[in-house]
Amino acid sequence: MQIGIVGLGLIGGSLALDLRLQGHQIYGVTRNPSTAALALDQGVVNRAGKDLALLSSCEVIFVCTPIDAVLPTIAALARVVGTESVITDVASVKGAIVPQAEVYWPHFVGAHPMAGSAEQGLGAARSGLFVGRPYVVTPTQQTRQVDLDQVVSLIAALGARLITLDPETHDRACARISHLPVLVSAALLLNLEAAGEPGAEQLASSGFFDTSRVGGGNPQLGRAMAEWNQQALLAELDRYLEILQSLRQTVAGADWLTVEQSLLKTHQIRRRVFGSDS
Ligand code: NAP
């Protein structure tokens, strides 16, 4: 199959690597000539260039640009691709993208792989990124079954775990497990700085490495998640602040039994979410 990828960064590059390994012809579009040269040199893609018309004969096209460039890219693709081409995206928000994308292109299938890293760009791309990870598709009443089936079969071949949700449910869930944690983790780093006592940094080890990871990631992506999923994120922030305030009260009141009971509950929740190895 001929597959197009717009945006040869972390996610686009990782998709290209795995899909090419499966024998597909991969055509990549990047605005940057040095990224195109690198992608060809490293065998990430079969062809690369900056013109979206390069993808005119592709059967499926993955839009892997930053969130704010997804809709303009789909509108531009609609002017150059074949009438039956399926376009899918990987953006971390869906409610603000899917309905308009369907207006631009009838063969659109919204999607979001739940895999990534704190790095960005083609250099961060790696094979196997999606294995065992959730990969959400967000079909609507407009989605054609044949288009959905094509995207789903490519996702399954990546070794990802397929999950089907409507765009709004996806956005509420992502606000809870991804977009809120970015801000919480960022707040830990800001707190380290705000305390104004540099010595603590020397003690930072595996625990702080884990808890600060998503807050220290791609700033543009973090901003876009907040901007494009604002209402769902605000609801999560409000609930989170209530919980934090209640934990503060137990500490202030020296209610150590409640502190321990809360942590016993969170211990169990984490094992439920990630299994007994967590
Ligand atoms: P990235 O590594 O920065 O890659 C984005 C790519 O898009 C770059 O290769 C860049 O390449 C291109 N690009 C940048 N601005 C553009 C513009 N205005 N128009 C067209 N292309 C542009 O970012 P990423 O982490 O792969 O994220 C890409 C998408 O994946 C986002 O929509 C994000 O929500 C989603 N996502 C990210 C993660 C994650 O953890 N990072 C996880 C799941 C989904 P050139 O400058 O070479 O053109």
Side-chain angles (χ1 to χ4, degrees):
M1 187 188 291
Q2 279 184 12
I3 295 177
I5 303 212
V6 187
L8 292 174
L10 165 66
I11 300 296
S14 299
L15 281 170
L17 281 167
D18 281 355
L19 293 169
R20 190 163 184 208
L21 275 177
Q22 289 163 20
H24 298 292
Q25 290 283 310
I26 309 299
Y27 294 5
V29 170
T30 162
R31 303 165 308 165
N32 194 334
S34 63
T35 304
L38 188 67
L40 284 167
D41 193 45
Q42 295 187 341
V44 179
V45 296
N46 300 86
R47 294 181 64 187
K50 67 175 172 45
D51 194 345
L52 289 175
L54 178 70
L55 312 184
S56 59
S57 57
C58 289
E59 292 148 88
V60 177
I61 297 165
F62 288 80
V63 176
C64 302
T65 67
I67 294 172
D68 57 1
V70 170
L71 285 172
T73 300
I74 293 169
L77 279 168
R79 294 193 282 274
V80 296
V81 299
T83 51
E84 294 303 308
S85 299
V86 175
I87 298 179
T88 183
D89 75 330
V90 297
S92 312
V93 299
K94 298 270 69 87
I97 286 184
V98 173
Q100 190 58 39
E102 288 175 337
V103 171
Y104 289 147
W105 194 246
H107 301 283
F108 176 78
V109 179
H112 176 205
M114 305 298 303
S117 79
E119 309 297 319
Q120 63 187 114
L122 184 59
R126 69 170 177 86
S127 178
L129 183 70
F130 309 102
V131 175
R133 302 292 180 195
Y135 198 129
V136 186
V137 288
T138 58
T140 68
Q141 302 246 331
Q142 320 296 321
T143 310
R144 294 167 204 214
Q145 189 62 44
V146 60
D147 299 338
L148 179 62
D149 290 347
Q150 201 155 30
V151 172
V152 162
S153 74
L154 290 173
I155 291 172
L158 294 169
R161 209 153 37 82
L162 183 79
I163 295 179
T164 304
L165 292 174
D166 63 78
E168 288 69 32
T169 307
H170 164 277
D171 285 358
R172 284 195 303 277
C174 280
R176 201 162 302 145
I177 57 86
S178 174
H179 307 169
L180 173 70
V182 167
L183 293 190
V184 170
S185 174
L188 293 176
L189 288 161
L190 291 171
N191 181 59
L192 178 67
E193 189 84 345
E197 201 181 13
E201 293 185 21
Q202 293 166 28
L203 309 190
S205 187
S206 51
F208 197 68
F209 184 87
D210 289 345
T211 53
S212 65
R213 185 177 68 79
V214 293
N218 178 343
Q220 291 80 28
L221 179 57
R223 174 218 158 121
M225 287 167 169
E227 186 178 348
W228 287 69
N229 199 18
Q230 184 190 23
Q231 291 314 314
L233 177 56
L234 280 174
E236 297 304 321
L237 273 168
D238 288 346
R239 189 188 315 105
Y240 175 75
L241 288 170
E242 269 178 36
I243 292 168
L244 201 57
Q245 187 59 33
S246 139
L247 285 172
R248 188 192 182 285
Q249 273 168 14
T250 58
V251 173
D255 184 357
W256 309 125
L257 180 62
T258 304
V259 171
E260 184 176 339
Q261 282 170 343
S262 300
L263 293 175
L264 176 63
K265 190 173 171 190
T266 57
H267 180 77
Q268 289 161 348
I269 294 169
R270 194 160 193 275
R271 285 170 81 93
R272 191 187 73 221
V273 175
F274 291 113
S276 54
D277 294 339
S278 61

